[in-house]
């Protein structure tokens, strides 16, 4: 794997994640929150309803490695229905509407923080991502861009829903292997 930015050179998933310590940036009122997504070059976040066919084995290794840097993993109900989530060695939080409607995300993050979660990795999906961004609750975004085109009308993008404003990001790192790009963005 090559690191294109910053400081170009050879690297590995382990080396990149070794010094990544998101728990150090926890806030008083919520954990540090990072999102992880994989998308095709034409911007699709699923192929035939699943994210699995998008990324390579290295993308899987990056996701598995990332999980080890976080106290808990969070997903939306749609992702829970679409993907197989088993054998996770981290606490799994599933965001699912109840009798009172949609989950109050700031309140959920506050209670996770009170329970000792300092860093939270949200693995999607696009609807939950949109809600979290709209409420200013996301610090970083890990995005894998797989060198493939999938087409199709219905597949979601990595973020669905309205935002009040455009959210500016800065590129914290960019890695490459076999034409697959691994970007890490920070909210500016
Ligand atoms: N490419 C990737 O990296 C990636 C990652 C994850 C998912 N995906 C794909 O995304 C698709 C699923 O997308 P999705 O948007 O339906 O999934 P999602 O964001 O995981 O789930 C959205 C659902 O979460 C529940 N929810 C409860 N409170 C919410 C709140 N405050 N904000 C937002 N959602 C809330 C709602 O379901 P209820 O009303 O049922 O509670 C809502 O419909 C699948 O095809 C999956 O493969 C791709």
């Amino acid at each position: 794997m090559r690191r294109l930015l910053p400081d170009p050179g050879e690297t590995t998933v382990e080396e990149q994640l070794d010094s990544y310590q998101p728990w150090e940036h926890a806030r008083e009122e919520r954990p540090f929150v990072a999102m992880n997504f994989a998308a095709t070059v034409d911007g699709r976040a699923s192929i035939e309803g699943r994210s699995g066919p998008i990324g390579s084995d290295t993308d899987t290794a990056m996701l598995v490695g990332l999980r080890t840097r976080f106290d808990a993993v969070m997903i939306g109900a749609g992702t829970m229905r679409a993907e197989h989530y088993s054998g996770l060695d981290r606490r799994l939080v599933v965001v699912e509407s109840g009798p009172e409607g949609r989950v109050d995300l700031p309140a959920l993050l506050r209670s996770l923080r009170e329970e000792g979660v300092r860093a939270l990795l949200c693995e999607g999906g696009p609807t939950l991502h949109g809600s979290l961004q709209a409420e200013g609750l996301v610090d970083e975004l890990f995005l894998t861009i797989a060198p493939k085109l999938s087409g199709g009308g219905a597949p979601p993008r990595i973020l669905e829903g309205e935002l009040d404003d455009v959210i500016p990001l800065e590129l914290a790192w960019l890695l490459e292997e076999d034409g697959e790009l691994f970007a890490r963005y920070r909210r500016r």
Side-chain angles (χ1 to χ4, degrees):
M1 171 177 266
R2 288 190 299 156
R3 184 174 51 245
L4 305 178
L5 281 171
D7 185 24
E10 291 296 310
T11 189
T12 62
V13 169
E14 296 73 34
E15 191 181 319
Q16 286 298 128
L17 295 179
D18 232 22
S19 55
Y20 181 62
Q21 301 182 325
W23 57 88
E24 290 189 341
H25 306 289
R27 300 172 185 226
E28 221 169 276
E29 75 284 4
R30 65 166 175 86
F32 179 89
V33 176
M35 302 291 313
N36 183 76
F37 277 101
T40 61
V41 168
D42 54 333
R44 268 62 181 214
S46 76
I47 296 177
E48 294 177 350
R50 304 280 307 276
S51 61
I54 297 175
S56 66
D57 289 349
T58 304
D59 176 52
T60 304
M62 180 64 87
L63 177 60
V64 169
L66 262 180
R67 286 174 179 160
T68 68
R69 315 304 287 172
F70 289 82
D71 300 311
V73 167
M74 184 167 87
I75 54 170
T79 299
M80 187 65 189
R81 286 189 285 270
E83 312 284 344
H84 295 304
Y85 267 85
S86 59
L88 214 65
D89 67 351
R90 283 291 179 277
R91 176 174 174 187
L92 180 65
V93 179
V94 181
V95 177
E96 190 160 29
S97 305
E100 319 236 299
R102 292 214 151 174
V103 172
D104 177 342
L105 296 170
L108 172 63
L109 295 192
R110 200 175 315 116
S111 68
L112 288 171
R113 183 74 191 90
E114 281 162 11
E115 290 164 25
V117 176
R118 299 159 302 164
L120 180 68
L121 180 65
C122 181
E123 299 184 8
T127 307
L128 178 58
H129 184 203
S131 300
L132 287 164
Q133 291 282 10
E135 302 216 50
L137 299 171
V138 180
D139 298 297
E140 284 193 340
L141 167 63
F142 288 85
L143 175 62
T144 299
I145 302 167
K148 50 184 83 160
L149 301 168
S150 70
R157 278 75 53 93
I158 66 160
L159 187 157
E160 294 291 341
E162 299 297 325
L163 298 177
D164 288 341
D165 289 304
V166 170
I167 297 173
L169 304 175
E170 66 181 358
L171 188 58
W173 76 38
L174 183 63
L175 318 175
E176 183 273 342
E177 187 180 87
D178 290 337
E180 193 167 40
L181 296 171
F182 301 86
R184 173 181 156 214
Y185 293 97
R186 253 192 302 263
R187 200 180 167 128
R188 256 189 222 274

